[in-house]
Amino acid sequence: MSTRDDILSLLRRDAMTIPELLERLNVTRNAVIVPLKQLEADGLVEGETQRGKGVGKPAVRYSVVSGREDITSQAYPTFAELTMQTLAEQLPRDQVSQLMRQVGEKMATHLDVNGQSSLTGRLQAATDFLDTLGAETVVDTQQGNPVVRSFSCPLGRAVRQEPCVCSVVAAFLSDVTGTTVDEQCDRGEKLFCKFVVKA
């Protein structure tokens, strides 16, 4: 583990000052200050000034920002895969597909495209959002229609468990662009995402 990870691990347990971190980690002051400031800049930790009665600069206690405790979690791919497996075991396929479309529609509500009136602008906003999830999208055309392709499926493990997970992205793109989106993903040995936007 890096010093950054060690700091984050300690601050998950309790708020600490820099001297307390130095004592626990047994490293130089600079070895704590640099990663601590990086964690603060990334919005993962925050400092709170402690008002004391003595003279001198008041101490600052650092802690993990509420709601960011799981930022380094590796549990989500396994969680998504097992969730899809459980849904497929418990529900008929058409209900699972409907649920996936509803997830995509809800995902679209988190993207503000009110300032984008053109299809091109809305599609750009949608693909930019997907790229933040790890999609690595490219947009080309097929018979006059925009085609969104991705060679890095951000939902790959869940898709391999239940192919209808692709409809999450199809519904998301459809809601954001306001058009029909045809999912044509290739789910062979390698996953290649393809969504045709009906312009």
Side-chain angles (χ1 to χ4, degrees), residues 24-87:
R24 292 290 299 274
L25 296 172
N26 194 27
V27 295
T28 65
R29 183 176 179 84
N30 198 47
V32 165
I33 292 292
V34 172
L36 184 61
K37 292 304 178 186
Q38 290 173 343
L39 287 166
E40 198 170 19
D42 291 343
L44 300 179
V45 303
E46 59 188 352
E48 182 178 351
T49 303
Q50 304 294 301
R51 300 296 176 188
K53 297 179 181 178
V55 295
K57 191 175 181 179
V60 177
R61 295 186 72 78
Y62 292 89
S63 60
V64 173
V65 175
S66 297
R68 304 301 301 274
E69 301 90 348
D70 61 352
I71 195 67
T72 59
S73 172
Q74 300 299 310
Y76 287 106
T78 301
F79 175 78
E81 181 180 3
L82 294 177
T83 297
M84 291 313 306
Q85 179 182 336
T86 304
L87 286 174

Side-chain angles (χ1 to χ4, degrees), residues 48-187:
E48 182 178 351
T49 303
Q50 304 294 301
R51 300 296 176 188
K53 297 179 181 178
V55 295
K57 191 175 181 179
V60 177
R61 295 186 72 78
Y62 292 89
S63 60
V64 173
V65 175
S66 297
R68 304 301 301 274
E69 301 90 348
D70 61 352
I71 195 67
T72 59
S73 172
Q74 300 299 310
Y76 287 106
T78 301
F79 175 78
E81 181 180 3
L82 294 177
T83 297
M84 291 313 306
Q85 179 182 336
T86 304
L87 286 174
E89 291 170 352
Q90 300 293 323
L91 298 173
R93 180 172 290 271
D94 61 330
Q95 288 187 27
V96 176
S97 295
Q98 183 179 2
L99 282 172
M100 293 303 100
R101 288 191 295 273
Q102 289 173 355
V103 170
E105 291 164 2
K106 286 183 182 294
M107 193 163 71
T109 65
H110 290 275
L111 186 63
D112 183 11
V113 291
N114 290 330
Q116 302 289 343
S117 57
S118 69
L119 173 61
T120 301
R122 297 170 82 85
L123 187 57
Q124 183 65 55
T127 54
D128 286 347
F129 178 79
L130 292 174
D131 286 345
T132 67
L133 303 180
E136 298 181 19
T137 59
V138 295
V139 180
D140 54 28
T141 59
Q142 177 180 301
Q143 298 178 344
N145 292 313
V147 178
V148 178
R149 301 179 195 272
S150 171
F151 303 96
S152 175
C153 179
L155 299 172
R157 288 179 67 170
V159 167
R160 291 194 183 283
Q161 188 64 46
E162 182 53 61
C164 72
V165 170
C166 293
S167 61
V168 170
V169 177
F172 166 77
L173 288 170
S174 180
D175 265 38
V176 172
T177 60
T179 63
T180 302
V181 173
D182 185 15
E183 178 261 303
Q184 298 179 8
C185 298
D186 182 353
R187 292 179 285 270

